[in-house]
Amino acid sequence: MLALAAECNVNGQGARLKPGRDDAPESGRKSAISTGGAIDARRLLAHEAGLMTLARTRTFHWLTLAAALAAPLPPARALVGAEPDGRFADRVAMVLIRGGDKAGFCSALVLSPRVLLTAAHCLRPLRDMAVHYRDAEGAAVIIPVDAAIAHPLYRADAITARVESIDLALIRTARPLSSRFAGAAIADGGPPAIGASAIVSGYGAAREGDWASGGELRSVTLAVREPSSTVLIWAADPNGRVAGACSGDSGAPIWSADGSAAIAIVAWAQAAHGRGCGGLTQGPLLAPLKRWSEETERRLAGGG
């Protein structure tokens, strides 16, 4: 898992200004990093006390987090090694999450006006999730999540249980996204060939441990690498440079070489030599899961 501003896997209650460990599994392997970066939520929430109602408190919290993400950022190349890329702005949004006294986000692929696809390890209680994007004037738009369904084969305990896990989930917003969003196309057919190009686009951090470098949609082109799999994709920079998913990129789409269809989502990443960002990006392929995704999307659209 990868995230900025807060861990997508919130595994403790202490506020901190660094990405935490991602203990979410993907196919029985331990994630090397969290796709959520941690924000000092105690500081952010300091003004929420008093006579506010619970609903107003929640709204204030999300707006505070959105404002932090909108703050001017130093020049950055991220994900890691990536560049700002508006091609996918109509198909990718952010999922704000919180847990205990920490807050953060994941990335998500838009499937329809109210349904998005993200990593299952990003899920929280519904009251602690919201979809975020910016309108044409740059103002923060925050929409509560009112339903979420993880893939039935997702196992949060996959590491200790030594079982496979499909780290995928669909979420539904309480009201439609802006009309500027379009449902993304999902790839059909078999897995991409080894060496084929794959584009990762997400809102994650540009540098390991630097949550403030995230919050802008960026993309980077990687190459599919071994091992070949009908379930997962592994991708890395073909020239060995530091490039790939980082904190905040859990749930980010991995696109075909021409950017026309999503072939996978990000669920796991690591540095070239152990924990960190920009060495290897991994996630479940979407074509084998397309039937489940479509059936679940219909269920959510029907109020299920």
Side-chain angles (χ1 to χ4, degrees):
M1 165 187 191
L2 319 147
L4 155 91
E7 301 153 329
C8 281
N9 256 0
V10 179
N11 293 317
Q13 301 304 316
R16 55 180 182 270
L17 292 172
K18 61 182 180 181
R21 292 186 177 181
D22 177 10
D23 294 326
E26 174 56 36
S27 294
R29 299 181 61 182
K30 184 170 184 178
S31 296
I33 59 176
S34 165
T35 44
I39 284 179
D40 187 341
R42 290 188 181 127
R43 177 173 59 82
L44 292 179
L45 300 176
H47 300 292
E48 292 195 35
L51 300 178
M52 285 180 161
T53 64
L54 179 59
R56 290 180 59 200
T57 300
R58 289 174 179 164
T59 299
F60 182 83
H61 173 89
W62 294 131
L63 288 172
T64 304
L65 176 55
L69 295 173
L73 302 176
R77 295 168 56 87
L79 322 151
V80 174
E83 296 286 356
D85 189 346
R87 287 179 296 167
F88 307 107
D90 63 343
R91 289 167 283 171
V92 186
M94 294 172 62
V95 181
L96 305 182
I97 57 174
R98 62 186 179 186
D101 57 359
K102 290 179 290 187
F105 69 83
C106 291
S107 298
L109 178 69
V110 176
L111 298 181
S112 70
R114 291 185 61 194
V115 178
L116 300 89
L117 187 154
T118 190
H121 70 250
C122 294
L123 297 187
R124 298 290 180 273
L126 296 179
R127 66 179 180 276
D128 293 328
M129 300 173 62
V131 169
H132 165 63
Y133 58 90
R134 301 211 161 259
D135 65 18
E137 287 71 43
V141 178
I142 298 170
I143 305 178
V145 171
D146 69 2
I149 301 176
H151 192 280
L153 296 183
Y154 172 65
R155 290 282 299 272
D157 64 344
I159 299 169
T160 55
R162 297 183 180 277
V163 296
E164 291 188 350
S165 173
I166 296 180
D167 197 349
L168 195 70
L170 269 64
I171 61 174
R172 185 183 67 200
T173 54
R175 62 180 186 274
L177 307 182
S178 164
S179 60
R180 73 176 173 85
F181 284 97
I186 304 299
D188 289 309
I194 300 299
S197 294
I199 305 168
V200 183
S201 62
Y203 284 95
R207 294 170 292 274
E208 168 75 6
D210 182 11
W211 60 265
S213 65
E216 180 177 6
L217 185 62
R218 302 175 174 94
S219 67
V220 61
T221 299
L222 306 177
V224 178
R225 52 157 287 177
E226 294 181 336
S228 178
S229 170
T230 59
V231 178
L232 298 171
I233 187 174
W234 283 263
D237 186 83
N239 299 313
R241 73 185 180 115
V242 177
C246 197
S247 297
D249 292 318
S250 283
I254 303 175
W255 303 95
S256 56
D258 61 2
S260 64
I263 59 177
I265 66 159
V266 174
W268 181 90
Q270 69 173 24
H273 303 289
R275 292 184 178 276
C277 305
L280 180 64
T281 298
Q282 181 208 74
L285 290 165
L286 297 179
L289 304 170
K290 192 171 183 178
R291 180 177 177 181
W292 174 83
S293 296
E294 291 175 344
E295 290 177 349
T296 304
E297 182 180 353
R298 286 194 294 269
R299 175 181 168 188
L300 291 172

